[in-house]
Amino acid sequence: MDRNGVDYAAVLNPAQLEAVLHLAGPALVIAGAGSGKTRTLIYRVARLVEEGIQPEKILLLTFTRKASQEMIERASSLADARCRFVSAGTFHSLALQILRQHAEALGLSNSFTILDRSDMEEIISSLVPEIEKPKSRTRFPKRNTIANILSKSANLQQSMEQFLKTEYVQFQDCLPQLQILERLYAEYKQEHQLMDFDDLIINLRSLLADNPDVRIQLSQQYSYLMVDEYQDTNSIQADIVRWLAHEHKNIMVVGDDSQSIYSFRGANYRNMFEFTDYFQDVKIIKLEENFRSSQPILSLTNGIMEQASEQFTKCLFTNRVGGERPRAIDTRTEPEQSMFITRYIKEKIREGQSLKDIAVLFRAGYHSFELEAELTRNGIKYMKYGGFKFLESAHIKDFLAHLRVVVNEDEAVSWMRILRLVKNVGLAKGKSIIKWMKDNHGPLGRLGDWPGIGKNLQGLTQLAELLSIFDSSDINNINPQEAFKRVMAYYAPILKEKYDDFPRRQKELDQLLQIAGRYKNIDNFLDDLVMEPPTSSKDLGFDKEEECLTLSTVHSAKGLEWPVVFIIWAMEGRFPSAKAYQNPLEMEEERRLMYVAATRAMDELILCYPSKESLPGWQYEIPYSQTGLSSFIRGLPGDILHYEKIGGARKNKESCFKLPASDYSLDTPGIMDFSQGERVRHPAFGPGVVSKIVGDKKIEVLFRNAGRKLLHIEYTTLEKI
């Protein structure tokens, strides 16, 4: 036991203890799902402070502010209150803090505004008319697609040309126009003092790389660095980590390559593998004891990842005794899948299980639509996660736009939002007003002097009166809650006129008012709302005590756990997604996604798939069959799962049977089943003729509509005509 009373050896397992006691030099902690990585980080923070390191010199980087705050609070409560002074936050919040101090080096004012995704799309939409679209095509990418292209190519550090070749081949002929748009967007941000989320980390990396004095200063300021969820970093964030630790090398990164599922955001799981290339004498520590799941569930998850093409070898185990084998259930049809899950949940409730203990996970949001209808018919309350963001609501964005122009008068996006709320002000008039305001510098209240104002624009006069309240105030001294009330008095009549459900929207704004009361200045309040936005009204404090079932995409469920977990649509073409078969790297990420889904379960794991459902509109070739159990599951040893079928003639009775995976697989034809010249049909390519037998596993088929294709017979579905 050490001097402050924490007996580390008593509360940590040997691997966790090794990580906590490692104080200086680089370390890579490979933390399997449910292995206590958060606990390890918390105790290491406590240990560093206990050893006399100034808390302000410790930097903990996480992917959500909530995670970092909870870790610091827990470290403070178990060891030393000084832990509250540890520097902690996200990559983006760190970038914002540093760039506010060094904005001049980037040619920006320190009052720059942060753009969220919808702001970014609005700007792009306003710039598209300035370019001449290709005359050869009728379709130009939509603004959300353009935003995806600009954002992901930036995060991947790829040129527009290179990125389009790999991910948006269908828009390659738009390359010149998209390159112009990329330039116009960058110029627009510079002119109006704006940064989007990508700019924050890109500019921080540039600042560190190009300014040795800043780099040395920050390295001295943060002499001990810890990074959580390192597998989710992109290459730019990995560079930031290396620059911050460049001087002292006191860096510990914690992550699990098997849980890297965010490549669509630019995350690069190879950062885990390349860490040892950038730092010498790295200490590698593996956390393999799982504190969440039963051993039968862990046997399945270990089996899923044993098939991975690249991984850090680890084997999850638990000291828990007992547990049921996971179940793979063929529900025949989607309606029967929904009915089975609903009946099972109702039975669990009768047995005393809480709805909060059950989750249904799926690969994509639309997979749950049928289930949602069935749950509603049966009066089962649920909360769905994944998709819509609270701050994307029009009334929230409209309201906050009034505050954003107070902070940054050059913020044209917010100016347009508030002007369009004024009666008789359209797009053209709004642009004219914004240009006049920019050309005639002065107080915000000068809006009332716009030359075009008349009797039909009384609303513009009222807006000018509102903004004039803030004219004489120092932005740093404006009380956020008071400013909120002022804007509310102006905006409330607009809200009532614009929305039939204004009472609900008013309640959400009232809750934001309470949040504003926690801040001392308005710009910090607005920054935090953009950086860590609430994702639903529940996050604002509504319905916290209401008991309900969780429906969630797997991406939104990462880091969470439930006693009972269903994974639905666990079949080829849905999970893994059909398009993943075109790219081995995408298929490997789908495998990791299944691993993440399965490791959310504590006591029961049930995988459902409606084998008789046809999956229309295939554009991709998939192995086995359109109706098979997911290949991630069917490839496992037969004693890992309990296979079942329901429905059909035995609609209300479950028929259980156990089969080895090889027996359970659908029959696939052998090479000898086909001969040259034979007519065949493929589910995606249509009818064709066998033109050549290639080796013992492949045949060449000339399809009527798709042309010549080389097919691997064990991984395709080919029917004789």
Side-chain angles (χ1 to χ4, degrees), residues 201-212:
I201 61 167
I202 290 171
N203 287 336
L204 175 57
R205 195 266 303 272
S206 298
L207 185 70
L208 291 169
D210 299 339
N211 297 272

Side-chain angles (χ1 to χ4, degrees), residues 25 88 144 175 228 268 303 365 379 539:
N144 63 322
L175 175 62
D228 190 18
N268 182 5
D539 288 354

Side-chain angles (χ1 to χ4, degrees), residues 116-174:
D116 64 17
R117 178 53 182 259
S118 59
D119 293 329
M120 179 183 183
E121 291 183 10
E122 283 189 37
I123 293 172
I124 289 169
S125 184
S126 71
L127 295 174
V128 167
E130 297 185 28
I131 62 174
E132 186 177 345
K133 297 178 185 178
K135 296 179 181 178
S136 59
R137 69 154 53 223
T138 57
R139 182 177 179 183
F140 193 70
K142 294 181 172 62
R143 67 181 190 178
N144 63 322
T145 302
I146 297 172
N148 283 338
I149 292 171
L150 293 178
S151 178
K152 195 169 179 183
S153 61
N155 275 293
L156 292 176
Q157 303 176 83
Q158 292 182 353
S159 69
M160 182 72 70
E161 182 177 11
Q162 182 184 5
F163 182 70
L164 291 180
K165 283 181 180 178
T166 55
E167 297 211 26
Y168 285 91
V169 180
Q170 68 272 31
F171 292 124
Q172 277 188 281
D173 60 331
C174 299

Side-chain angles (χ1 to χ4, degrees), residues 205-246:
R205 195 266 303 272
S206 298
L207 185 70
L208 291 169
D210 299 339
N211 297 272
D213 53 336
V214 174
R215 187 168 68 238
I216 292 171
Q217 174 206 327
L218 290 171
S219 193
Q220 292 171 345
Q221 182 177 343
Y222 304 119
S223 54
Y224 287 83
L225 178 60
M226 286 183 282
V227 185
D228 190 18
E229 306 283 14
Y230 193 65
Q231 79 281 348
D232 292 335
T233 55
N234 61 27
S235 299
I236 301 169
Q237 290 164 324
D239 284 345
I240 290 171
V241 168
R242 293 165 196 149
W243 282 123
L244 288 173
H246 185 264

Side-chain angles (χ1 to χ4, degrees), residues 341-597:
I341 292 171
T342 302
R343 287 198 304 269
Y344 197 93
I345 290 171
K346 291 170 77 172
E347 182 61 31
K348 282 290 179 184
I349 294 171
R350 282 193 291 270
E351 293 173 358
Q353 190 103 41
S354 169
L355 264 180
K356 291 181 179 179
D357 292 341
I358 307 172
V360 181
L361 308 182
F362 30 85
R363 174 65 183 83
Y366 70 90
H367 288 174
S368 69
F369 289 167
E370 172 72 30
L371 175 60
E372 291 175 56
E374 184 66 20
L375 292 170
T376 302
R377 284 192 288 268
N378 284 270
I380 297 177
K381 293 182 179 180
Y382 64 87
M383 181 70 72
K384 184 175 180 180
Y385 296 90
F388 180 74
K389 301 296 183 184
F390 176 77
L391 284 190
E392 291 174 4
S393 301
H395 64 294
I396 302 293
K397 291 193 71 66
D398 287 344
F399 184 92
L400 293 176
H402 295 82
L403 298 175
R404 291 175 71 170
V405 299
V406 172
V407 174
N408 180 4
E409 295 180 24
D410 293 322
E411 223 268 73
V413 176
S414 291
W415 267 114
M416 184 57 75
R417 288 197 79 94
I418 65 176
L419 288 171
R420 293 294 296 274
L421 294 173
V422 176
K423 193 173 182 180
N424 297 321
V425 174
L427 180 62
K429 195 168 289 184
K431 287 183 176 180
S432 176
I433 293 171
I434 292 171
K435 185 179 185 305
W436 182 84
M437 290 285 288
K438 192 171 181 64
D439 293 342
N440 294 270
H441 297 286
L444 289 169
R446 72 187 182 281
L447 175 64
D449 299 327
W450 181 59
I453 203 165
K455 291 183 179 180
N456 66 335
L457 288 175
Q458 291 181 347
L460 201 61
T461 302
Q462 293 170 353
L463 176 59
E465 290 173 356
L466 167 69
L467 296 177
S468 67
I469 295 172
F470 304 104
D471 277 337
S472 59
S473 304
D474 179 353
I475 187 64
N476 294 317
N477 294 324
I478 296 177
N479 180 283
Q481 201 165 35
E482 186 59 36
F484 213 97
K485 290 176 181 177
R486 298 273 191 172
V487 176
M488 183 69 79
Y490 166 81
Y491 182 69
I494 299 173
L495 184 75
K496 290 180 180 179
E497 183 178 348
K498 192 173 181 182
Y499 300 105
D500 290 336
D501 61 344
F502 67 86
R504 174 185 67 82
R505 296 174 188 259
Q506 179 72 59
K507 285 182 180 179
E508 292 176 348
L509 287 170
D510 290 342
Q511 195 65 30
L512 274 183
L513 172 63
Q514 299 305 313
I515 296 174
R518 304 172 195 159
Y519 289 83
K520 293 182 179 179
N521 56 63
I522 196 169
D523 50 348
N524 286 346
F525 166 65
L526 294 174
D527 282 349
D528 279 0
L529 276 183
V530 176
M531 300 296 289
E532 291 288 339
T535 58
S536 69
S537 59
K538 185 177 180 182
D539 288 354
L540 293 174
F542 303 126
D543 304 324
K544 278 190 175 178
E545 301 304 318
E546 188 174 18
E547 181 172 310
C548 57
L549 171 75
T550 295
L551 304 183
S552 178
T553 60
V554 181
H555 285 99
S556 295
K558 186 171 177 289
L560 304 176
E561 59 185 37
W562 296 268
V564 180
V565 170
F566 292 88
I567 302 174
I568 61 174
W569 282 105
M571 63 187 290
E572 293 297 287
R574 290 291 177 91
F575 201 168
S577 169
K579 69 176 183 179
Y581 290 96
Q582 306 304 300
N583 186 329
L585 292 178
E586 288 186 23
M587 183 58 81
E588 286 302 297
E589 179 148 332
E590 294 284 313
R591 183 188 309 283
R592 296 193 295 269
L593 199 60
M594 180 66 81
Y595 171 84
V596 168

